Amino acid sequence: MLQYLTYFVLAAFTGREVISKVPQTLHTPLMSGSNAISGITIVGALVASGMFEGVWVKWLGVLALVAATINVVGGFLVTDRMLQMFKKKPSAERQPS
């Protein structure tokens, strides 16, 4: 059990360090790409929380599931907002007479 907690803490610190080194101009494209990784995390959290016995394992699985779900939803919202910026807006100059 301590081994899995160690993996979790190391992954959290590694993720924070990797994300903090990314320039702000790259955050949005990387977030849209990371949705697939978070989808895998959701599946992994479901499998891990169902595979092992113990209250702490279940709670860590639920915590991972909630965090990954928030990340996926937020990533899709940011990606959608980014794509809305590239759509052409109808201009007032081209109104039919």
Side-chain angles (χ1 to χ4, degrees):
M1 174 64 186
L2 183 60
Q3 179 182 8
Y4 296 116
L5 185 60
T6 303
Y7 292 154
F8 177 76
V9 170
L10 287 175
F13 281 126
T14 303
R16 185 185 186 292
E17 284 300 312
V18 168
I19 295 298
S20 68
K21 304 295 186 226
V22 174
Q24 284 187 339
T25 55
L26 293 177
H27 271 268
T28 302
L30 287 176
M31 183 177 285
S32 62
S34 70
N35 282 332
I37 296 170
S38 292
I40 294 169
T41 306
I42 289 173
V43 173
L46 289 171
V47 169
S49 63
M51 185 184 296
F52 300 104
E53 294 296 324
V55 175
W56 289 106
V57 175
K58 303 287 184 195
W59 280 108
L60 280 176
V62 168
L63 178 67
L65 182 65
V66 168
T69 303
I70 290 171
N71 193 24
V72 168
V73 170
F76 280 122
L77 291 174
V78 168
T79 301
D80 184 54
R81 184 174 177 192
M82 178 185 69
L83 292 175
Q84 295 296 326
M85 291 175 15
F86 292 104
K87 287 188 176 179
K88 288 188 177 183
K89 296 176 182 162
S91 68
E93 299 169 2
R94 291 194 236 165
Q95 291 180 354
S97 324

